[in-house]
Amino acid sequence: MRKFLFKSNNLFYIVVIVLFCSPPLKAKDKEDSKDIRVEIKEYISHHLKDSYDFSFFSYTKKSGDHVYIGIPLPVIIWDNGIKFFSSSKLKHGEDVAKVGSNYYKLEHGKIYKTDSEGTIFYDDKHHVTNYAPIDFSITKGVVSMLLIAFLMFSLFRNLAKSYRETGGLPKGIGRFLEPIIIYLRDDIAKPNIGEKKYASYMSFLLTVFFFIWFLNLLGLTPLGVNVTGNIAVTFGLALLTFLITNFTGTRDYWLHIFDPLGSSMKWFSKILLYIVLIPIELLGLIIKPFSLLIRLYANMQAGHIVIMSIIGLMFIFKSWIGSPLSFGLAFAIAIIELLVAFLQAYIFTMLSALYFGFASEEHEKSH
Amino acid sequence: MEKLISEFSLGLFFWQSAIFIGLLFLLRKFAWKPILNAVNEREASIINALDSAEKARTQLENIQSENQRLLKEARKEKEILLKEALKTKNQIISDAKKEAQNETEKILSQAQDTIQSEKRAALKELKNQVGSIAIDIAEKVINKELENKDKQMNLVNNLLKETDFK
């Protein structure tokens, strides 16, 4: 089993390398550069969003038809009962999908209920007014997360097993992963949370670190996934940090929020200050994880926009000087993004550990 | 901000939370706990091994210093023993010499005494023998002298004549 996994891992890396070498963007052979600009812009904004199928690339035939190469994924929506159908029915928003007696259409990356013609109604602010059913589709992002979850489980399960086989020594890729685990324990968890309580937070910190890091790295492959640059994903991660922080909060932690001045002042003089202070402290509770979710989202989003824009420049320049230059620049930025991928995972984990540290803090005697 | 909210996908959030929490619990049970336990155990065993190595080293050092001490003591003892032996030897030699001298003196004085007494005895004997020889000779001489009565008479008469009685 293990051998098989190892081989399949190798296969995975080979696939990644081959994809990385292949041209990431198929440009249309058109004279008008403004058209290309518009197309690149659309392409970028399309890429940044989650999508209903796992597309590898697309091109346009001479006749004007769009050809999409990829894997269709299941769409699950709640519209008076569960509707379950393949995303190939949506035809990338070019046609109406008929499911049972209902019609659905993809507009700006979202599924809306329409009539049989696929009419989309807009209000005066150009917002779609059609009914949007509750959407639980297995999208590209969900598939990526499942892929990473499977990868992580197999990697760390193997590492855990290898200790039993060799009597306490890591094997194979575990030799690379183990120092990172030890680093997280010794340089993130222990100093921020403290020797006494760090152990119970380790599972979350390790999982969140590797989850974000691997998803960031997957985002750098030409598979074109942008999971950690999606606000729903970072919101979910930050929400967990928020919940864990406040559910493990000690008496001292809450005392610090509702009585930050402690016994240094008489109660009647504190009241005036507390009218201002307590709302600020309460706001701080939310701002801390909120900064986490925005930071990760914005960094990954920005990285993807920059790389894709510079790759797009190649097709705008279309010259022997400009295109190689922008390729070099894209290459340099991609290397920086490799660092950012690690850095953002590190910062998220580090700050989570810091907040857990605040929550689990116990003073000998408060203030 | 409005764009962010409109982009927020409840479905993705739902799946993300489900996958992440599922992964968290699976990894916690099957990976993180065994890994951290193994790492902690290994670290503890390394610390133990270092400790025991340190202990063994100090023990060895102790043994070495003990050996050194014993060696030094033995050397000292040997020196003392040698010194004592030398002293005893000298003592014995000087005692022997003294005794030998005493003995010699004693023997010598005894020999001298013996010689003296022998000498005295010899002298006594000699005196006795000389006396008897002298008496013998005297006897013989007297006997010879007394054979001639006339002469004796003459002599006595002469002597008597010479001696005037008063």
Side-chain angles (χ1 to χ4, degrees), chain A residues 50 110 127 135-138 142 145 149 152 156-157 159-160 163 168 170 178 185 203-204 206-207 211 230 232-233 235-237 239-240 297, chain B residues 1-2 4 6-17 19-21 23-24 26-28 30-32 34-36 38-40 42-43:
Chain A
D50 206 3
K110 262 191 170 179
H127 289 159
D135 190 352
F136 288 109
S137 302
I138 307 292
V142 176
M145 283 190 284
M152 274 175 74
F156 293 112
R157 183 71 193 135
L159 178 58
Y163 287 116
E178 196 208 76
R185 186 194 62 179
S203 295
F204 177 76
L206 286 167
T207 314
F211 192 71
N230 191 302
V233 173
F235 175 77
L237 293 171
L239 182 70
L240 276 176
Y297 163 78
Chain B
M1 194 67 203
E2 200 187 0
L4 279 186
S6 75
E7 261 179 31
F8 186 87
S9 157
L10 196 69
L12 191 61
F13 168 69
F14 166 77
W15 285 114
Q16 189 274 332
S17 303
I19 291 168
F20 186 84
I21 291 169
L23 184 67
L24 178 64
L26 270 179
L27 282 179
R28 188 176 137 109
F30 292 108
W32 302 137
I35 288 171
L36 288 173
V39 168
N40 286 341
R42 195 179 61 203
E43 277 167 6

Side-chain angles (χ1 to χ4, degrees), chain A residues 198-239:
Chain A
Y198 84 95
S200 51
Y201 294 104
M202 276 308 283
S203 295
F204 177 76
L205 293 175
L206 286 167
T207 314
V208 90
F209 175 80
F210 285 108
F211 192 71
I212 295 173
W213 187 31
F214 287 174
L215 278 172
N216 287 349
L217 288 178
L218 191 66
L220 290 178
T221 63
L223 291 171
V225 288
N226 180 29
V227 185
T228 39
N230 191 302
I231 195 84
V233 173
T234 59
F235 175 77
L237 293 171
L239 182 70

